[in-house]
Amino acid sequence: MPRTSMSPETAMTSWCVLDEAARERVRQLVVDALALAAAGTANDDARRALAGLAAVAPGETTVPWTDLRLAAPQAALALSMLIHAWDFDDTHDEAVVHTATVVVPSALAAGAIAPVPGDGLLGAVAAGVQVFSRLARLVGARPGVIRTAGVGPVAAAVTAAHVFGLDEETTRAAAALAVGSTLSPSSRQAVVDGSVAKRLQPGFAAATGLTSAGLARAGLSGPHGWLTGDFGMLPGTDTTWAHLLAGPAEINDVAVKPYPACRYTHAALVAAHEVHATQPTLGAGDRVVVHVPAGAAYALVARPYAERGEPLVDAQFSIPWQIAAIWATGSYELQTLTRHLHDPRIPQLARQVEVRQDLPESAVMSGARLDLVRDGAVVATADADMPGAGAALPREVLGAKARSCLEVAGVADPGSAVERLFDLVDALPDLDADATTLALRELSPGAPIQQR
């Protein structure tokens, strides 16, 4: 349930109000996002998207890990696409949103327009995550709405407004201007159809939010009832601006993903790896039965595997495909998608995987159970909770994930590059605006994608 005991005095609006645990979560979120963006340069769909943006939106804002220079809103869209390309980015399990793919590009693109000290940049990220997650909790599950796309424009507007140094009234105006692009009941159709448009939705949110903040900065305002009016995001409620910004830091509930897949599949993947460790061979007559919660959200990942659209999207939203990949290749990880996406063994084995939505329905992402059935008897079983929820990662674990991303991107000496990412986020709070701008420009040695 959304938290309601909040005090404006503890509003998560700046770096200085965060305790060290929350600050480390912000640093980790930025490192994870930037490493994922590097991996995104090896994604064919992302490459096509960036080429399209280069053709229609040339400008002066750089896109990390590339030599592209685009108009700022499209640079935010491009970076978001890179971060979200492999569906390996963070998730707030209760709010059900990917935060960094909207907030980090919005902050960096806004910083390119209006340079800001490093602590201001990190504070903007924290503020964006706060509003994003809190508002998504309050909005809750709605038919057809992917909340990352549905709430993201407001979060991006708030993030950019903080970078621009806008006051509270003008920040609210930015959010109000963005509200016309929120809560589309058609956003989930991209998942139903296996469309790569799913990867672009957070970027469109970032571009809209950044544009809205720019318009508010110029003096424009949106509808006053954007939040609680008859047709607002939370109609008829008593929610206030303070409710969105104040209280416990939502960044502490953001989980860095261990698997490049829809977060709803993660508990099943943990259980599958556990059973596979003791039962590495799947016989022709064996069946894998996965038990997940009831509900519409899980229905999309519980379907029998089929190629409905783009193979990558189909695989990442399919528990049967992912479980089959573990028995076909030994694991499910980023390299599974880069090396084995078209392996014919995986869809064949996926026919032996059955997903049953027979656990109690859950409003948030939850656990799973997996049974290996042989000759009518369960020979191995495992229960698993959602991995990584509510806990910061040891830096060596995040570093290992980041290295795998940079290896996929073909970055020279990925170990040293990961160290530079950590050095960057550790140094940012002490850098002035000019030094922050310079550090970010030097972020990505090499350019896997060149502008044409």
Side-chain angles (χ1 to χ4, degrees), residues 170 206 239 247 267 310 352 355 404-405:
T170 313
T239 306
E310 296 291 335
Q352 296 176 237
V355 185
S404 72
C405 291

mmCIF file of all heavy atoms in Angstrom, residues 170 206 239 247 267 310 352 355 404-405:
data_model
loop_
_atom_site.group_PDB
_atom_site.id
_atom_site.type_symbol
_atom_site.label_atom_id
_atom_site.label_comp_id
_atom_site.label_asym_id
_atom_site.label_seq_id
_atom_site.Cartn_x
_atom_site.Cartn_y
_atom_site.Cartn_z
ATOM 1 N N THR A 170 6.897 26.151 -10.265
ATOM 2 C CA THR A 170 7.244 25.906 -11.658
ATOM 3 C C THR A 170 7.466 24.420 -11.914
ATOM 4 O O THR A 170 7.162 23.906 -12.996
ATOM 5 C CB THR A 170 8.494 26.712 -12.048
ATOM 6 O OG1 THR A 170 8.351 28.056 -11.600
ATOM 7 C CG2 THR A 170 8.687 26.709 -13.555
ATOM 8 N N ALA A 206 10.663 10.203 -21.210
ATOM 9 C CA ALA A 206 11.765 11.095 -20.861
ATOM 10 C C ALA A 206 11.767 12.339 -21.744
ATOM 11 O O ALA A 206 11.950 13.471 -21.265
ATOM 12 C CB ALA A 206 13.090 10.351 -20.969
ATOM 13 N N THR A 239 -4.585 13.548 -2.321
ATOM 14 C CA THR A 239 -3.129 13.528 -2.497
ATOM 15 C C THR A 239 -2.614 14.934 -2.778
ATOM 16 O O THR A 239 -3.209 15.684 -3.551
ATOM 17 C CB THR A 239 -2.754 12.601 -3.666
ATOM 18 O OG1 THR A 239 -3.334 11.318 -3.466
ATOM 19 C CG2 THR A 239 -1.235 12.459 -3.771
ATOM 20 N N GLY A 247 8.634 11.794 2.894
ATOM 21 C CA GLY A 247 8.591 10.473 3.501
ATOM 22 C C GLY A 247 9.807 9.636 3.199
ATOM 23 O O GLY A 247 10.838 10.139 2.758
ATOM 24 N N ALA A 267 11.522 -14.474 -10.141
ATOM 25 C CA ALA A 267 11.465 -15.501 -9.098
ATOM 26 C C ALA A 267 11.471 -16.887 -9.720
ATOM 27 O O ALA A 267 12.119 -17.818 -9.198
ATOM 28 C CB ALA A 267 10.220 -15.304 -8.232
ATOM 29 N N GLU A 310 8.784 -9.374 -32.179
ATOM 30 C CA GLU A 310 10.242 -9.382 -32.163
ATOM 31 C C GLU A 310 10.736 -10.513 -31.268
ATOM 32 O O GLU A 310 10.297 -10.627 -30.117
ATOM 33 C CB GLU A 310 10.776 -8.051 -31.650
ATOM 34 C CG GLU A 310 10.432 -6.864 -32.546
ATOM 35 C CD GLU A 310 11.170 -6.919 -33.866
ATOM 36 O OE1 GLU A 310 12.253 -7.548 -33.920
ATOM 37 O OE2 GLU A 310 10.668 -6.352 -34.854
ATOM 38 N N GLN A 352 7.916 -28.114 -23.030
ATOM 39 C CA GLN A 352 7.865 -28.963 -21.841
ATOM 40 C C GLN A 352 7.693 -28.140 -20.557
ATOM 41 O O GLN A 352 7.703 -28.688 -19.470
ATOM 42 C CB GLN A 352 9.138 -29.810 -21.739
ATOM 43 C CG GLN A 352 9.306 -30.794 -22.877
ATOM 44 C CD GLN A 352 10.628 -31.548 -22.799
ATOM 45 O OE1 GLN A 352 11.424 -31.528 -23.728
ATOM 46 N NE2 GLN A 352 10.882 -32.213 -21.678
ATOM 47 N N VAL A 355 3.256 -23.130 -17.229
ATOM 48 C CA VAL A 355 3.142 -22.112 -16.181
ATOM 49 C C VAL A 355 1.698 -22.074 -15.695
ATOM 50 O O VAL A 355 0.773 -21.914 -16.493
ATOM 51 C CB VAL A 355 3.570 -20.721 -16.685
ATOM 52 C CG1 VAL A 355 3.541 -19.718 -15.527
ATOM 53 C CG2 VAL A 355 4.965 -20.773 -17.290
ATOM 54 N N SER A 404 29.880 -7.366 -17.551
ATOM 55 C CA SER A 404 29.251 -8.174 -18.602
ATOM 56 C C SER A 404 28.599 -7.274 -19.647
ATOM 57 O O SER A 404 28.627 -7.574 -20.842
ATOM 58 C CB SER A 404 28.217 -9.122 -17.995
ATOM 59 O OG SER A 404 27.054 -8.443 -17.553
ATOM 60 N N CYS A 405 28.043 -6.152 -19.202
ATOM 61 C CA CYS A 405 27.440 -5.214 -20.143
ATOM 62 C C CYS A 405 28.486 -4.587 -21.051
ATOM 63 O O CYS A 405 28.295 -4.456 -22.269
ATOM 64 C CB CYS A 405 26.688 -4.123 -19.384
ATOM 65 S SG CYS A 405 25.195 -4.671 -18.535
#
